[in-house]
């Protein structure tokens, strides 16, 4: 869960972990990529209408009623369109699929996306969450849970009380799991 420039592309994702997180086999992920490319057309990205059409075919989405999906599509699209371009890249689309997979516990989905998109932590090999990345994740969670913007700085201050300039993945995950606001709505 981070800005496009701070993430690796889907080619660098661990396909077995992605398969577990999405409930979709690696072969199906390749088919999804092909479907994405077809739906996206020449520009290679999905607008909200294209996203709705493609997303409605995936696990999690198929388990929801049409009214629920009609309400969720704009929220999901807004949440995962980090640069507010009005379009989703394939990587952003995969993030949405993971987050909406109701066959995986919510906290596991968040942990997977935090780890997967933490380019700095993977490059350094220590999994540390930097303030910049932590703020991005909090903004995305706030978007996803329909919370007002601007609270990410306060969350980070509460989390990094010793002002180390980083937190571990475990500390970050524990903080999120203890926050009632992230545990009240859209649970599964």
């Amino acid at each position: 869960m981070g800005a496009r420039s701070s993430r690796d592309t889907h080619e660098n994702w661990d396909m077995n972990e992605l398969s577990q997180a999405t409930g979709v086999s690696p072969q199906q992920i390749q088919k999804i990529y092909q479907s994405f490319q077809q739906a996206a057309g020449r520009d290679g990205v999905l607008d909200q209408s294209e996203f709705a059409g493609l997303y409605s075919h995936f696990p999690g989405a198929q388990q929801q009623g049409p009214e629920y999906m009609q309400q969720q599509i704009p929220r999901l699209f807004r949440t995962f369109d980090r640069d507010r371009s009005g379009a989703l890249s394939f990587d952003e689309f995969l993030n949405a699929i993971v987050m909406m997979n109701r066959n995986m516990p919510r906290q596991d989905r968040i942990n997977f996306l935090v780890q997967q998109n933490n380019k700095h932590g993977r490059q350094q090999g220590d999994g540390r969450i930097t303030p910049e990345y932590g703020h991005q994740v909090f903004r995305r969670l706030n978007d996803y849970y329909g919370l007002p913007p601007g609270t990410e700085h306060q969350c980070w201050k509460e989390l990094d009380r010793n002002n180390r300039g980083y937190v571990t993945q475990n500390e970050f995950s524990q903080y999120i799991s203890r926050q009632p606001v992230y545990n009240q709505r859209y649970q599964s």
Side-chain angles (χ1 to χ4, degrees):
M1 298 176 92
R4 275 186 201 165
S5 61
S6 69
R7 293 193 315 248
D8 285 335
T9 61
H10 73 279
E11 290 95 1
N12 296 323
W13 289 32
D14 181 310
M15 283 299 137
N16 291 327
E17 287 182 16
L18 179 59
S19 180
Q20 283 184 311
T22 58
V24 177
S25 74
Q27 296 80 15
Q28 289 173 307
I29 292 169
Q30 265 310 102
K31 288 181 183 176
I32 291 169
Y33 182 62
Q34 292 168 353
S35 296
F36 178 92
Q37 288 179 312
Q38 276 187 318
R42 294 180 60 145
D43 62 1
V45 294
L46 298 177
D47 63 24
Q48 187 169 317
S49 175
E50 294 164 333
F51 169 70
L54 189 57
Y55 182 76
S56 65
H57 299 290
F58 293 101
Q62 293 176 343
Q63 299 170 2
Q64 308 301 323
E67 281 183 31
Y68 178 83
M69 288 308 297
Q70 189 174 10
Q71 294 171 352
Q72 297 310 307
I73 291 294
R75 180 179 67 85
L76 283 172
F77 190 86
R78 182 179 59 251
T79 297
F80 292 100
D81 178 18
R82 291 316 307 153
D83 61 359
R84 302 289 192 244
S85 66
L88 294 183
S89 68
F90 185 64
D91 302 316
E92 291 170 319
F93 181 69
L94 283 177
N95 278 272
I97 291 172
V98 169
M99 197 61 197
M100 292 304 293
N101 178 12
R102 302 291 188 215
N103 297 323
M104 181 181 204
R106 182 190 52 80
Q107 193 61 42
D108 291 349
R109 290 178 272 165
I110 292 171
N111 288 340
F112 174 78
L113 290 176
V114 167
Q115 180 180 6
Q116 189 60 51
N117 292 306
N118 185 8
K119 188 175 180 179
H120 174 80
R122 283 196 326 280
Q123 286 175 338
Q124 301 302 314
D126 59 11
R128 290 180 180 183
I129 308 289
T130 64
E132 295 81 15
Y133 183 61
H135 285 109
Q136 288 175 9
V137 173
F138 285 127
R139 278 191 298 274
R140 180 162 286 187
L141 285 169
N142 290 347
D143 284 349
Y144 182 76
Y145 287 101
L147 303 171
T151 61
E152 61 272 9
H153 301 292
Q154 182 60 36
C155 291
W156 185 261
K157 283 181 184 180
E158 290 175 15
L159 181 56
D160 185 19
R161 290 182 181 174
N162 297 328
N163 293 317
R164 294 178 298 180
Y166 71 90
V167 297
T168 67
Q169 167 95 24
N170 189 45
E171 290 168 331
F172 196 78
S173 295
Q174 286 179 1
Y175 177 85
I176 291 171
S177 69
R178 290 190 311 259
Q179 300 308 305
V181 72
Y182 298 135
N183 292 297
Q184 291 178 21
R185 297 185 262 174
Y186 308 116
Q187 278 192 0
S188 68

